[in-house]
Amino acid sequence: MKIINSTPISDGYYLPSENIEHSESIMIWPERADNWRNGAKPAQKVFSEIANKISEYEPITMIASKEQYDHARHVLSENVRVVEMSYNDSWIKDIGPMYLLNKSNNIRSVDWRFNAWGGLVDGLYFPWDQDDKVARKISDFQRIDYYSVSDFILEGCAIHTDGEGTAILTEDTVLSEGRNGHVTKDEAEEILKNYLNLDKIIWLKSGYFMDETNGDVDNMLSFVKPGVILLTWTDDVTDPQYQISKDAFEILSHSTDAKGRKLEIHKLPIPKPLFATENESNGVDSDNGLLPRYPGDRLTASYVSYYLFNGGLLLPIFDDPNDQIAIDILKDLFPDRKIETIHARELLLGGGNVHCVIEAVPMYKE
Amino acid sequence: MKIINSTPISDGYYLPSENIEHSESIMIWPERADNWRNGAKPAQKVFSEIANKISEYEPITMIASKEQYDHARHVLSENVRVVEMSYNDSWIKDIGPMYLLNKSNNIRSVDWRFNAWGGLVDGLYFPWDQDDKVARKISDFQRIDYYSVSDFILEGCAIHTDGEGTAILTEDTVLSEGRNGHVTKDEAEEILKNYLNLDKIIWLKSGYFMDETNGDVDNMLSFVKPGVILLTWTDDVTDPQYQISKDAFEILSHSTDAKGRKLEIHKLPIPKPLFATENESNGVDSDNGLLPRYPGDRLTASYVSYYLFNGGLLLPIFDDPNDQIAIDILKDLFPDRKIETIHARELLLGGGNVHCVIEAVPMYKE
């Protein structure tokens, strides 16, 4: 049910940390051949691996279109629930409901507007109408009440929170002309604080180098726990990512969180730069509505785009020596979680990473 | 999850009576303009009235297509959950899962084949592929395990049971050439007994006069409780329905049920014959794939096509003097249920009645 005349902050609902127990996870089946190479079959294989793996730990729902329902049902493990729904592409974390909890663990959600990361200014495809309905449709089918924000664009991947009132976002995305050019930074902060119950917003300037979303924050960093940040890093001064990570480090190391804590920052190295091959690019359908894929495009490979599930952590890996270093760092920071890995190059080729293709529904009191 | 290598009878699952508590009800939003007049808007009004009414008594889900989702969501009460799914038309009782319970009240379902009441022989529309997937999709979405019968056509409206091992069906539907011409009556009985855990099948020859389904049993009779039947009736010997009801009475009064009881038969009069008007018929789109609607077509108006919901009974009425007689009879037979009424002419114009457009999910143990 849509909630009309109030805000989460006035009702005591807040955006929880990702480090909480889930009732289930949700994904969306990839299919558009103008984004996913070779008719999306290689991507479907990776999405299936993720869903089947997560289904061993918690319930999982795969949303599939009318056209792909039967194929998804056939390919996926029987433990994965398949639900028909329309969409434009598969980035559930960006377009799904943003779930909120209150102190009694009741759940609500926020339905932000979505415009394919920049709409007609610099968005990645047109139209995005079905994507923009996904949050409302999922909330309705879950019988979860939701707030609807009529005039503010926010993707789930554009924000990280500690669940204690602090959020980190990038100016290049949330304040971009194509998304929220109509509001000032102060107005944006007020909207975010009202709808996510935040006390302190830390703004980075940019996200990962060449991230086609303009740089959603989830390829840059994550919260290990309140006060502790894991930051995408490279020591290679010739990599354009070097300065971006260095700038983020500067901002973070001079920031305090909502509770007044200084932030402890751990550096998570990236793999050596990855680029799309000619063969990979040629597998993508040409389409005027979508950003084309070119051979040599830098892929936004980060390890920080992992996904926390009940009891574990799913880490993207890239056949790189740093895979093991990332595993070791995460094992150390999340000693109670089992580290599972997934070869994620196919997700990078589609413009994202693990954290964007799967969304958690918090455990809540019905 | 699809159950491959067993049958309900071997697993202790049976088809329950309709006279049980529900966990929810399900409907499908009408939209095809080649079946429902005036772009289905009058039918949508009646479906909305039914859904909104039932939502006062139990949870209800309205399935809506991608195209009609927003409109259905806008029109329906906030208490009605709307879920996107594809379908060919709106006859949920015919195409939805056939729910089974066991003695512990666990639930499973049966996914029969559906071919639009006769397939290429005498079915009512083509294609029916999306309808045939609805039972599997709903079961999957509900996380309910299901048996799938690969080679037998059965609509939910083609069978009534007392929940104690007795079922009543019509030969004109279940044994029709267009549905199950490939099996003998004995073979059909064996399949029905194995998948619905039945001991005794009573066959009527025909259903309601001119029923375009060939005569599904739910316009002819219902079980008030085990051993007690409510039979569609007319005393007008000039009405072709007279002989059909008389023949059914003969068969039923000479039958015993699975427990060896003789059947107590109550007669429920029909309204005076109703016919489609020229104006009504002209509102339906012409389409080669669908049985056309002609002015003067007899409408299959029965009161026995009511729907039991938690605490009540929803009765179709037709602005006929017999409306009150039907209400009185049902009040007498269901003294503990509140009788709600709905003007159902619009449903008749689309080829059905209340009992076909809403399906109950039994209350079950998760």
Side-chain angles (χ1 to χ4, degrees):
Chain A
M1 196 183 82
K2 193 167 171 174
I3 299 162
I4 306 291
N5 291 318
S6 67
T7 54
I9 198 166
S10 63
D11 298 339
Y13 282 82
Y14 70 97
L15 182 65
S17 148
E18 294 186 1
N19 207 345
I20 55 168
E21 190 83 357
H22 303 170
S23 59
E24 72 167 321
S25 288
I26 312 179
M27 300 179 73
I28 300 179
W29 191 244
E31 65 173 88
R32 58 187 296 167
D34 59 357
N35 187 56
W36 303 98
R37 71 188 181 107
N38 298 355
K41 295 306 151 192
Q44 289 173 1
K45 189 161 175 292
V46 178
F47 276 61
S48 297
E49 284 168 10
I50 294 174
N52 293 346
K53 176 63 71 185
I54 299 296
S55 78
E56 296 168 18
Y57 297 88
E58 60 186 64
I60 181 160
T61 294
M62 180 69 76
I63 290 171
S65 69
K66 172 185 178 183
E67 292 73 22
Q68 277 287 312
Y69 181 93
D70 282 346
H71 182 58
R73 179 63 287 169
H74 176 71
V75 168
L76 290 161
S77 144
E78 287 185 332
N79 293 325
V80 179
R81 167 168 81 155
V82 183
V83 168
E84 184 186 336
M85 196 176 290
S86 302
Y87 45 84
N88 301 108
D89 205 353
S90 312
W91 310 102
I92 181 70
K93 180 71 179 177
D94 280 336
I95 65 177
M98 195 172 284
Y99 294 101
L100 310 178
L101 297 175
N102 68 6
K103 280 183 180 168
S104 306
N105 251 21
N106 302 120
I107 196 166
R108 289 185 178 175
S109 73
V110 184
D111 166 38
W112 300 96
R113 297 280 65 70
F114 175 81
N115 70 351
W117 309 275
L120 299 179
V121 176
D122 57 354
L124 298 178
Y125 48 73
F126 177 87
W128 53 81
D129 60 324
Q130 296 303 319
D131 278 351
D132 194 31
K133 296 177 191 192
V134 164
R136 297 194 288 286
K137 284 182 178 173
I138 292 178
S139 293
D140 201 39
F141 110 49
Q142 295 175 317
R143 294 192 163 102
I144 290 177
D145 293 342
Y146 63 95
Y147 303 89
S148 195
V149 186
S150 62
D151 55 358
F152 196 82
I153 303 284
L154 186 70
E155 302 109 36
C157 295
I159 184 165
H160 261 307
T161 183
D162 60 1
E164 297 188 354
T166 314
I168 308 178
L169 303 88
T170 70
E171 295 183 2
D172 285 353
T173 56
V174 181
L175 304 181
S176 71
E177 176 61 28
R179 290 179 176 85
N180 298 306
H182 60 295
V183 299
T184 65
K185 189 172 178 177
D186 282 350
E187 289 166 342
E189 285 216 10
E190 193 183 343
I191 292 169
L192 292 165
K193 286 176 176 177
N194 284 337
Y195 281 91
L196 300 173
N197 210 337
L198 300 169
D199 300 307
K200 173 74 177 274
I201 293 176
I202 299 171
W203 293 98
L204 304 185
K205 175 71 179 65
S206 304
Y208 201 101
F209 175 64
M210 291 289 285
D211 187 329
E212 66 184 24
T213 66
N214 304 110
D216 274 338
V217 73
D218 70 337
N219 253 331
M220 278 298 288
L221 57 76
S222 64
F223 276 101
V224 175
K225 58 186 177 187
V228 182
I229 298 281
L230 198 49
L231 178 67
T232 285
W233 192 260
T234 176
D235 286 319
D236 178 359
V237 296
T238 69
D239 185 335
Q241 179 59 34
Y242 175 81
Q243 192 61 45
I244 297 172
S245 288
K246 192 160 172 283
D247 290 346
F249 186 91
E250 283 300 305
I251 291 170
L252 294 168
S253 58
H254 291 93
S255 299
T256 52
D257 66 15
K259 303 289 185 197
R261 287 174 290 235
K262 276 186 64 75
L263 297 168
E264 177 185 325
I265 307 166
H266 295 261
K267 295 173 178 172
L268 190 58
I270 57 175
K272 65 176 176 305
L274 299 174
F275 303 93
T277 67
E278 184 158 354
N279 184 39
E280 287 168 342
S281 297
N282 287 343
V284 181
D285 278 0
S286 301
D287 186 306
N288 192 41
L290 193 79
L291 211 69
R293 308 248 169 244
Y294 293 114
D297 277 356
R298 172 83 178 263
L299 304 178
T300 54
S302 81
Y303 296 106
V304 81
S305 184
Y306 56 78
Y307 180 70
L308 299 177
F309 56 84
N310 289 349
L313 181 157
L314 182 65
L315 181 71
I317 56 171
F318 311 100
D319 283 325
D320 187 275
N322 280 356
D323 290 354
Q324 191 56 51
I325 291 171
I327 291 171
D328 293 342
I329 290 173
L330 287 158
K331 269 188 179 157
D332 194 47
L333 291 172
F334 292 98
D336 299 333
R337 290 184 180 269
K338 181 169 180 192
I339 310 293
E340 297 269 14
T341 59
I342 182 86
H343 285 91
R345 183 180 177 90
E346 206 61 41
L347 305 179
L348 306 184
L349 290 171
N353 203 336
V354 169
H355 188 257
C356 324
V357 299
I358 181 162
E359 180 176 25
V361 185
M363 190 65 80
Y364 61 99
K365 217 178 97 201
E366 303 230 25
Chain B
M1 196 185 83
K2 192 166 172 174
I3 298 163
I4 306 291
N5 290 317
S6 67
T7 54
I9 199 168
S10 63
D11 298 338
Y13 282 82
Y14 70 97
L15 182 65
S17 149
E18 293 186 3
N19 207 344
I20 56 168
E21 190 84 356
H22 303 171
S23 58
E24 70 167 322
S25 288
I26 312 178
M27 300 179 74
I28 300 178
W29 190 244
E31 66 173 88
R32 57 187 296 165
D34 59 356
N35 187 56
W36 303 97
R37 72 188 181 106
N38 299 355
K41 295 304 150 192
Q44 289 173 0
K45 189 161 176 293
V46 178
F47 277 61
S48 297
E49 284 168 11
I50 294 174
N52 292 348
K53 176 64 70 185
I54 298 296
S55 78
E56 296 169 17
Y57 296 89
E58 60 186 64
I60 180 160
T61 295
M62 180 69 76
I63 290 171
S65 69
K66 171 185 177 183
E67 291 73 21
Q68 278 287 311
Y69 181 93
D70 282 346
H71 182 59
R73 178 62 288 168
H74 176 71
V75 168
L76 290 161
S77 145
E78 286 186 333
N79 293 324
V80 179
R81 168 169 80 158
V82 183
V83 168
E84 183 185 336
M85 196 176 290
S86 303
Y87 45 84
N88 300 108
D89 206 353
S90 312
W91 310 102
I92 181 69
K93 180 72 179 176
D94 280 337
I95 65 178
M98 195 172 283
Y99 295 100
L100 311 178
L101 296 175
N102 68 6
K103 281 183 180 166
S104 307
N105 251 23
N106 302 120
I107 196 166
R108 289 184 177 176
S109 73
V110 185
D111 165 38
W112 300 95
R113 297 280 65 70
F114 175 81
N115 70 352
W117 309 275
L120 299 179
V121 176
D122 56 355
L124 298 178
Y125 48 73
F126 178 87
W128 52 82
D129 59 325
Q130 296 302 320
D131 279 351
D132 195 30
K133 296 176 190 193
V134 164
R136 298 195 288 286
K137 285 182 178 172
I138 293 178
S139 293
D140 200 38
F141 162 107
Q142 295 174 316
R143 293 192 164 103
I144 290 177
D145 293 342
Y146 64 95
Y147 303 90
S148 195
V149 186
S150 62
D151 55 356
F152 197 82
I153 303 284
L154 187 69
E155 303 110 34
C157 295
I159 185 165
H160 261 307
T161 183
D162 60 2
E164 296 188 355
T166 314
I168 307 179
L169 304 89
T170 70
E171 295 182 3
D172 285 353
T173 55
V174 181
L175 304 181
S176 70
E177 177 61 26
R179 289 179 176 85
N180 298 306
H182 59 295
V183 299
T184 65
K185 188 173 180 175
D186 282 350
E187 289 166 341
E189 285 216 10
E190 193 183 342
I191 292 168
L192 292 164
K193 287 177 175 176
N194 283 337
Y195 281 90
L196 301 174
N197 210 338
L198 301 168
D199 299 310
K200 174 74 177 274
I201 293 176
I202 298 171
W203 292 99
L204 303 185
K205 175 71 178 65
S206 304
Y208 200 102
F209 175 63
M210 291 289 284
D211 187 328
E212 66 185 24
T213 66
N214 304 111
D216 274 338
V217 74
D218 70 336
N219 253 331
M220 277 299 287
L221 57 77
S222 65
F223 275 101
V224 176
K225 58 185 178 186
V228 181
I229 297 281
L230 197 51
L231 179 66
T232 284
W233 192 259
T234 177
D235 285 320
D236 177 1
V237 295
T238 68
D239 185 334
Q241 180 58 34
Y242 176 80
Q243 192 60 45
I244 296 171
S245 288
K246 192 160 173 285
D247 289 347
F249 186 91
E250 281 302 305
I251 291 169
L252 294 168
S253 59
H254 290 95
S255 297
T256 52
D257 68 13
K259 303 289 187 196
R261 288 174 290 235
K262 275 184 66 73
L263 296 168
E264 177 184 323
I265 307 167
H266 296 261
K267 294 173 179 173
L268 190 59
I270 56 175
K272 65 178 177 304
L274 300 175
F275 303 93
T277 67
E278 184 157 354
N279 184 39
E280 287 168 342
S281 297
N282 287 345
V284 181
D285 278 0
S286 301
D287 188 306
N288 193 40
L290 192 78
L291 210 68
R293 309 250 168 241
Y294 293 115
D297 276 356
R298 171 82 178 262
L299 304 178
T300 53
S302 81
Y303 296 105
V304 81
S305 184
Y306 56 78
Y307 180 70
L308 299 178
F309 57 84
N310 289 349
L313 181 155
L314 182 65
L315 182 71
I317 57 173
F318 312 100
D319 283 325
D320 187 276
N322 280 356
D323 289 354
Q324 191 55 53
I325 291 171
I327 291 170
D328 293 341
I329 290 173
L330 286 159
K331 269 188 180 159
D332 194 48
L333 290 172
F334 292 98
D336 298 332
R337 289 185 181 268
K338 180 169 181 193
I339 310 294
E340 297 268 14
T341 59
I342 181 87
H343 286 91
R345 182 180 177 91
E346 207 59 43
L347 305 179
L348 306 183
L349 290 171
N353 203 336
V354 169
H355 187 258
C356 323
V357 299
I358 181 162
E359 180 178 23
V361 185
M363 190 65 80
Y364 62 98
K365 216 178 97 200
E366 303 230 24

Short mmCIF file of all heavy atoms in Angstrom, two decimals, chain B residues 279-312:
data_model
loop_
_atom_site.label_atom_id
_atom_site.label_comp_id
_atom_site.label_asym_id
_atom_site.label_seq_id
_atom_site.Cartn_x
_atom_site.Cartn_y
_atom_site.Cartn_z
N ASN B 279 -26.78 -4.35 -28.54
CA ASN B 279 -25.82 -3.37 -28.05
C ASN B 279 -24.65 -4.05 -27.33
O ASN B 279 -23.48 -3.71 -27.53
CB ASN B 279 -26.54 -2.40 -27.10
CG ASN B 279 -25.62 -1.30 -26.63
OD1 ASN B 279 -24.82 -0.79 -27.40
ND2 ASN B 279 -25.73 -0.96 -25.34
N GLU B 280 -24.96 -5.04 -26.52
CA GLU B 280 -23.91 -5.76 -25.79
C GLU B 280 -23.00 -6.52 -26.75
O GLU B 280 -21.77 -6.47 -26.64
CB GLU B 280 -24.53 -6.72 -24.77
CG GLU B 280 -25.14 -6.00 -23.57
CD GLU B 280 -26.02 -6.89 -22.70
OE1 GLU B 280 -26.47 -7.96 -23.18
OE2 GLU B 280 -26.28 -6.50 -21.55
N SER B 281 -23.59 -7.21 -27.70
CA SER B 281 -22.79 -8.00 -28.64
C SER B 281 -21.90 -7.12 -29.50
O SER B 281 -20.77 -7.47 -29.81
CB SER B 281 -23.70 -8.82 -29.55
OG SER B 281 -24.43 -9.74 -28.79
N ASN B 282 -22.43 -5.97 -29.87
CA ASN B 282 -21.67 -5.08 -30.74
C ASN B 282 -20.46 -4.47 -30.05
O ASN B 282 -19.57 -3.95 -30.70
CB ASN B 282 -22.57 -3.95 -31.26
CG ASN B 282 -23.53 -4.46 -32.30
OD1 ASN B 282 -23.35 -5.55 -32.84
ND2 ASN B 282 -24.58 -3.69 -32.58
N GLY B 283 -20.42 -4.53 -28.73
CA GLY B 283 -19.28 -3.97 -28.01
C GLY B 283 -18.07 -4.87 -28.00
O GLY B 283 -17.01 -4.49 -27.49
N VAL B 284 -18.21 -6.10 -28.55
CA VAL B 284 -17.10 -7.06 -28.52
C VAL B 284 -16.32 -6.99 -29.82
O VAL B 284 -16.90 -7.02 -30.91
CB VAL B 284 -17.64 -8.49 -28.30
CG1 VAL B 284 -16.50 -9.49 -28.25
CG2 VAL B 284 -18.47 -8.55 -27.02
N ASP B 285 -14.99 -6.90 -29.73
CA ASP B 285 -14.16 -6.90 -30.93
C ASP B 285 -14.33 -8.20 -31.70
O ASP B 285 -14.38 -9.28 -31.10
CB ASP B 285 -12.66 -6.78 -30.56
CG ASP B 285 -12.25 -5.35 -30.29
OD1 ASP B 285 -13.09 -4.46 -30.39
OD2 ASP B 285 -11.05 -5.15 -29.97
N SER B 286 -14.37 -8.10 -33.02
CA SER B 286 -14.34 -9.31 -33.85
C SER B 286 -12.95 -9.90 -33.79
O SER B 286 -11.96 -9.18 -33.78
CB SER B 286 -14.66 -8.95 -35.30
OG SER B 286 -15.92 -8.35 -35.38
N ASP B 287 -12.86 -11.21 -33.75
CA ASP B 287 -11.54 -11.85 -33.74
C ASP B 287 -11.71 -13.28 -34.19
O ASP B 287 -12.51 -14.03 -33.66
CB ASP B 287 -10.93 -11.81 -32.36
CG ASP B 287 -9.49 -12.29 -32.35
OD1 ASP B 287 -9.25 -13.42 -32.84
OD2 ASP B 287 -8.62 -11.55 -31.89
N ASN B 288 -10.90 -13.63 -35.14
CA ASN B 288 -10.98 -14.97 -35.70
C ASN B 288 -10.65 -16.05 -34.67
O ASN B 288 -11.06 -17.19 -34.78
CB ASN B 288 -10.03 -15.09 -36.89
CG ASN B 288 -10.28 -16.33 -37.69
OD1 ASN B 288 -11.43 -16.70 -37.89
ND2 ASN B 288 -9.21 -16.99 -38.12
N GLY B 289 -9.92 -15.66 -33.65
CA GLY B 289 -9.47 -16.64 -32.67
C GLY B 289 -10.48 -16.95 -31.59
O GLY B 289 -10.25 -17.82 -30.75
N LEU B 290 -11.60 -16.26 -31.59
CA LEU B 290 -12.52 -16.39 -30.47
C LEU B 290 -13.94 -16.60 -30.95
O LEU B 290 -14.36 -16.05 -31.95
CB LEU B 290 -12.47 -15.11 -29.63
CG LEU B 290 -13.14 -15.17 -28.27
CD1 LEU B 290 -12.26 -15.90 -27.29
CD2 LEU B 290 -13.44 -13.76 -27.77
N LEU B 291 -14.69 -17.40 -30.19
CA LEU B 291 -16.10 -17.59 -30.46
C LEU B 291 -16.80 -16.23 -30.49
O LEU B 291 -16.69 -15.46 -29.55
CB LEU B 291 -16.70 -18.42 -29.32
CG LEU B 291 -17.88 -19.32 -29.65
CD1 LEU B 291 -17.43 -20.47 -30.55
CD2 LEU B 291 -18.47 -19.88 -28.38
N PRO B 292 -17.50 -15.91 -31.55
CA PRO B 292 -18.15 -14.60 -31.59
C PRO B 292 -19.36 -14.54 -30.66
O PRO B 292 -19.90 -15.57 -30.27
CB PRO B 292 -18.60 -14.48 -33.05
CG PRO B 292 -18.75 -15.88 -33.52
CD PRO B 292 -17.80 -16.72 -32.74
N ARG B 293 -19.73 -13.36 -30.29
CA ARG B 293 -20.91 -13.15 -29.45
C ARG B 293 -22.02 -12.56 -30.33
O ARG B 293 -21.80 -11.57 -31.01
CB ARG B 293 -20.59 -12.16 -28.32
CG ARG B 293 -19.35 -12.50 -27.54
CD ARG B 293 -19.69 -12.95 -26.12
NE ARG B 293 -18.52 -13.54 -25.49
CZ ARG B 293 -18.48 -14.80 -25.07
NH1 ARG B 293 -19.53 -15.59 -25.20
NH2 ARG B 293 -17.39 -15.28 -24.50
N TYR B 294 -23.18 -13.20 -30.31
CA TYR B 294 -24.29 -12.73 -31.14
C TYR B 294 -25.43 -12.21 -30.29
O TYR B 294 -25.68 -12.73 -29.20
CB TYR B 294 -24.82 -13.87 -32.02
CG TYR B 294 -23.83 -14.31 -33.08
CD1 TYR B 294 -23.29 -15.59 -33.05
CD2 TYR B 294 -23.45 -13.44 -34.09
CE1 TYR B 294 -22.38 -15.99 -34.02
CE2 TYR B 294 -22.54 -13.84 -35.06
CZ TYR B 294 -22.01 -15.11 -35.02
OH TYR B 294 -21.11 -15.49 -35.97
N PRO B 295 -26.14 -11.20 -30.80
CA PRO B 295 -27.36 -10.75 -30.12
C PRO B 295 -28.32 -11.94 -30.01
O PRO B 295 -28.45 -12.72 -30.95
CB PRO B 295 -27.94 -9.69 -31.06
CG PRO B 295 -26.83 -9.30 -31.96
CD PRO B 295 -25.91 -10.48 -32.06
N GLY B 296 -28.94 -12.08 -28.87
CA GLY B 296 -29.89 -13.17 -28.69
C GLY B 296 -29.28 -14.43 -28.12
O GLY B 296 -29.98 -15.40 -27.81
N ASP B 297 -27.96 -14.46 -27.98
CA ASP B 297 -27.32 -15.62 -27.34
C ASP B 297 -27.90 -15.81 -25.94
O ASP B 297 -27.99 -14.86 -25.16
CB ASP B 297 -25.80 -15.40 -27.21
CG ASP B 297 -25.05 -15.76 -28.49
OD1 ASP B 297 -25.68 -16.24 -29.45
OD2 ASP B 297 -23.82 -15.55 -28.51
N ARG B 298 -28.25 -17.02 -25.60
CA ARG B 298 -28.73 -17.33 -24.25
C ARG B 298 -27.56 -17.22 -23.28
O ARG B 298 -26.47 -17.73 -23.54
CB ARG B 298 -29.29 -18.77 -24.23
CG ARG B 298 -29.64 -19.33 -22.85
CD ARG B 298 -31.00 -18.87 -22.37
NE ARG B 298 -31.36 -19.44 -21.07
CZ ARG B 298 -32.15 -20.50 -20.90
NH1 ARG B 298 -32.65 -21.15 -21.95
NH2 ARG B 298 -32.46 -20.92 -19.68
N LEU B 299 -27.78 -16.55 -22.18
CA LEU B 299 -26.74 -16.42 -21.16
C LEU B 299 -26.94 -17.51 -20.11
O LEU B 299 -28.07 -17.83 -19.74
CB LEU B 299 -26.82 -15.03 -20.51
CG LEU B 299 -26.71 -13.85 -21.48
CD1 LEU B 299 -26.84 -12.53 -20.72
CD2 LEU B 299 -25.41 -13.89 -22.26
N THR B 300 -25.84 -18.06 -19.64
CA THR B 300 -25.92 -19.20 -18.72
C THR B 300 -26.04 -18.72 -17.27
O THR B 300 -25.13 -18.87 -16.46
CB THR B 300 -24.67 -20.09 -18.87
OG1 THR B 300 -23.52 -19.27 -18.73
CG2 THR B 300 -24.65 -20.75 -20.22
N ALA B 301 -27.20 -18.18 -16.98
CA ALA B 301 -27.42 -17.58 -15.66
C ALA B 301 -27.83 -18.62 -14.63
O ALA B 301 -28.93 -19.18 -14.70
CB ALA B 301 -28.50 -16.50 -15.76
N SER B 302 -26.95 -18.90 -13.71
CA SER B 302 -27.30 -19.80 -12.60
C SER B 302 -26.91 -19.13 -11.29
O SER B 302 -25.97 -18.35 -11.25
CB SER B 302 -26.56 -21.13 -12.73
OG SER B 302 -25.23 -20.99 -12.24
N TYR B 303 -27.64 -19.46 -10.26
CA TYR B 303 -27.28 -18.97 -8.93
C TYR B 303 -26.29 -19.91 -8.23
O TYR B 303 -25.69 -19.58 -7.22
CB TYR B 303 -28.52 -18.83 -8.04
CG TYR B 303 -29.51 -17.80 -8.54
CD1 TYR B 303 -30.70 -18.20 -9.15
CD2 TYR B 303 -29.25 -16.45 -8.39
CE1 TYR B 303 -31.61 -17.26 -9.60
CE2 TYR B 303 -30.16 -15.50 -8.84
CZ TYR B 303 -31.35 -15.91 -9.44
OH TYR B 303 -32.24 -14.98 -9.89
N VAL B 304 -26.15 -21.10 -8.79
CA VAL B 304 -25.31 -22.09 -8.14
C VAL B 304 -23.82 -21.78 -8.33
O VAL B 304 -22.96 -22.36 -7.66
CB VAL B 304 -25.68 -23.51 -8.67
CG1 VAL B 304 -25.03 -23.78 -10.00
CG2 VAL B 304 -25.33 -24.57 -7.66
N SER B 305 -23.52 -20.85 -9.20
CA SER B 305 -22.14 -20.44 -9.44
C SER B 305 -21.69 -19.39 -8.42
O SER B 305 -21.03 -18.42 -8.74
CB SER B 305 -22.00 -19.90 -10.87
OG SER B 305 -20.66 -19.59 -11.16
N TYR B 306 -22.06 -19.58 -7.18
CA TYR B 306 -21.65 -18.66 -6.11
C TYR B 306 -20.22 -18.97 -5.68
O TYR B 306 -19.63 -19.98 -6.10
CB TYR B 306 -22.60 -18.77 -4.91
CG TYR B 306 -22.73 -20.17 -4.35
CD1 TYR B 306 -21.74 -20.72 -3.52
CD2 TYR B 306 -23.85 -20.95 -4.64
CE1 TYR B 306 -21.86 -22.00 -3.02
CE2 TYR B 306 -23.97 -22.24 -4.14
CZ TYR B 306 -22.97 -22.76 -3.33
OH TYR B 306 -23.07 -24.04 -2.84
N TYR B 307 -19.66 -18.09 -4.83
CA TYR B 307 -18.30 -18.31 -4.32
C TYR B 307 -18.33 -18.24 -2.80
O TYR B 307 -18.84 -17.28 -2.22
CB TYR B 307 -17.35 -17.23 -4.86
CG TYR B 307 -15.92 -17.39 -4.37
CD1 TYR B 307 -15.13 -18.45 -4.80
CD2 TYR B 307 -15.36 -16.46 -3.49
CE1 TYR B 307 -13.81 -18.59 -4.36
CE2 TYR B 307 -14.04 -16.60 -3.05
CZ TYR B 307 -13.28 -17.66 -3.49
OH TYR B 307 -11.99 -17.81 -3.06
N LEU B 308 -17.78 -19.26 -2.16
CA LEU B 308 -17.67 -19.26 -0.70
C LEU B 308 -16.37 -18.55 -0.31
O LEU B 308 -15.31 -18.85 -0.86
CB LEU B 308 -17.64 -20.69 -0.18
CG LEU B 308 -18.88 -21.55 -0.48
CD1 LEU B 308 -18.69 -22.97 0.05
CD2 LEU B 308 -20.14 -20.92 0.12
N PHE B 309 -16.47 -17.61 0.61
CA PHE B 309 -15.27 -16.97 1.15
C PHE B 309 -15.32 -17.08 2.67
O PHE B 309 -16.32 -17.58 3.23
CB PHE B 309 -15.16 -15.52 0.67
CG PHE B 309 -16.34 -14.66 0.99
CD1 PHE B 309 -16.47 -14.04 2.22
CD2 PHE B 309 -17.36 -14.47 0.05
CE1 PHE B 309 -17.58 -13.25 2.52
CE2 PHE B 309 -18.47 -13.68 0.34
CZ PHE B 309 -18.59 -13.07 1.58
N ASN B 310 -14.29 -16.64 3.34
CA ASN B 310 -14.24 -16.79 4.80
C ASN B 310 -15.40 -16.06 5.47
O ASN B 310 -15.43 -14.83 5.48
CB ASN B 310 -12.91 -16.27 5.36
CG ASN B 310 -11.74 -17.17 4.99
OD1 ASN B 310 -11.93 -18.28 4.49
ND2 ASN B 310 -10.52 -16.71 5.25
N GLY B 311 -16.33 -16.82 5.96
CA GLY B 311 -17.46 -16.22 6.67
C GLY B 311 -18.66 -15.90 5.81
O GLY B 311 -19.69 -15.47 6.32
N GLY B 312 -18.54 -16.08 4.50
CA GLY B 312 -19.65 -15.66 3.66
C GLY B 312 -19.78 -16.41 2.35
O GLY B 312 -19.06 -17.39 2.08
#
